[in-house]
Amino acid sequence: MAHPSQLGLQDAASPVMEELLHFHDHALMIVFLISTLVLYILVAMVSTKLTNKYILDSQEIEIVWTILPAIILILIALPSLRILYLMDEINDPHLTIKAMGHQWYWSYEYTDYEDLGFDSYMVPTQDLLPGQFRLLETDHRMVVPMESPIRILVSAEDVLHSWAVPALGVKMDAVPGRLNQTAFITSRPGVFYGQCSEICGANHSFMPIVVEAVPLTHFENWSSLMLEDA
């Protein structure tokens, strides 16, 4: 969960998000070193009256400042491509959930069950309970078992939406007439918040996403209760 004055990303709740955090730190350190070097060169050029003839015309230094950026780009590209393939990998999911975007709410269908589905609306501010977050809480949470591969099928019924949960490292566009898929594994129990990340109309800001990760036995009890209510 993000908090005021937060400078970094949210704490990772899935293995993919942990990889993304590591890559963020890796790329940020490279950017920091490059920025420091460029700043030092600018200050040195402005503050000194001395001129080095080997910097004005030198084949060796031209070779260095041509090859070095290429090496830096490779050091950034290789881990980036690795994470892209990891994010696209969906191996033997234990549960499949279909998330449909509407104006302006989400509906979820647990396709492994015969009749388990519900709509998820934002809780109005006047109906919030103590401890609930304004504009982020829903009347029905998407409950998933922790430490299990979950596949999400994402689509929309009207306009473009985007199903995104930052703590899980998941963001997938919901396109009418198209079924996109993504996957995640929650590494710990908890409640993780997200929002529609594609401008979809007047109430775009009011269709939050809440994913609750629970132990498998709790998930089985929850699904049994939901099926009984249905």
Side-chain angles (χ1 to χ4, degrees), residues 136-149:
L136 288 177
E137 197 60 61
T138 59
D139 56 354
H140 290 92
R141 294 173 173 177
M142 190 186 91
V143 181
V144 298
M146 59 175 285
E147 296 179 341
S148 298

Side-chain angles (χ1 to χ4, degrees), residues 74-178:
I74 291 170
L75 290 175
I76 295 174
L78 291 180
S80 173
L81 289 171
R82 173 177 166 272
I83 295 174
L84 279 174
Y85 279 101
L86 280 175
M87 294 175 71
D88 205 38
E89 203 69 36
I90 302 176
N91 290 323
D92 190 25
H94 295 176
L95 182 68
T96 299
I97 303 172
K98 184 179 178 183
M100 290 288 293
H102 308 264
Q103 287 182 313
W104 288 272
Y105 65 95
W106 293 95
S107 61
Y108 299 102
E109 300 173 20
Y110 288 69
T111 57
D112 298 284
Y113 295 82
E114 185 174 344
D115 190 25
L116 180 52
F118 51 84
D119 296 333
S120 181
Y121 290 88
M122 185 193 77
V123 176
T125 303
Q126 62 270 20
D127 296 336
L128 288 174
L129 299 174
Q132 292 185 330
F133 297 104
R134 178 178 170 271
L135 302 183
L136 288 177
E137 197 60 61
T138 59
D139 56 354
H140 290 92
R141 294 173 173 177
M142 190 186 91
V143 181
V144 298
M146 59 175 285
E147 296 179 341
S148 298
I150 310 296
R151 175 172 58 186
I152 305 293
L153 303 177
V154 184
S155 186
E157 247 191 16
D158 34 49
V159 297
L160 290 175
H161 299 279
S162 185
W163 198 85
V165 183
L168 299 176
V170 176
K171 184 174 187 291
M172 181 57 65
D173 286 345
V175 183
R178 180 187 178 98

